[in-house]
Amino acid sequence: MGNIERGKVKEISDSGYVVESLDRKGIVSPPIEPITETTYAQNDMVLFVLFSDGTGKIISGA
C-alpha cells in the first residue's frame, strides 16, 4: 500500500521522473512513470505514490 504525496520533479531520465517529496523531507523517488502520457518538466509539482517494493507512479500534476 502507498500514500499519495505532493512532490516536485527533481530530475528527468530515460527511465522516468525522479520526484522529491514535499510531504516527507529527504524522500526522493527512484525514476517513476506517470499513469497517463503526460509530460512533466523539472520543478513541476506532482501528486505521486511510492510502494514498499520500490515502484511508484505519478498520479497527476498538482
Side-chain angles (χ1 to χ4, degrees), residues 3 5-6 14 20 23 31:
N3 294 317
E5 299 184 50
R6 296 175 300 155
D14 291 338
E20 181 176 20
D23 294 325

Side-chain angles (χ1 to χ4, degrees), residues 35 40 45-48 58-62:
I35 60 173
Y40 296 100
M45 304 292 282
V46 295
L47 297 176
F48 72 104
I58 295 175
I59 309 279
S60 69

Side-chain angles (χ1 to χ4, degrees), residues 3 5 7 9 12 20-21 23 25 28-31 34 36-37 40-41 49 55-58 61:
N3 294 317
E5 299 184 50
V9 175
I12 302 167
E20 181 176 20
S21 177
D23 294 325
K25 204 164 199 83
V28 179
S29 77
T36 64
E37 293 188 25
Y40 296 100
V49 62
T55 63
K57 290 288 184 181
I58 295 175

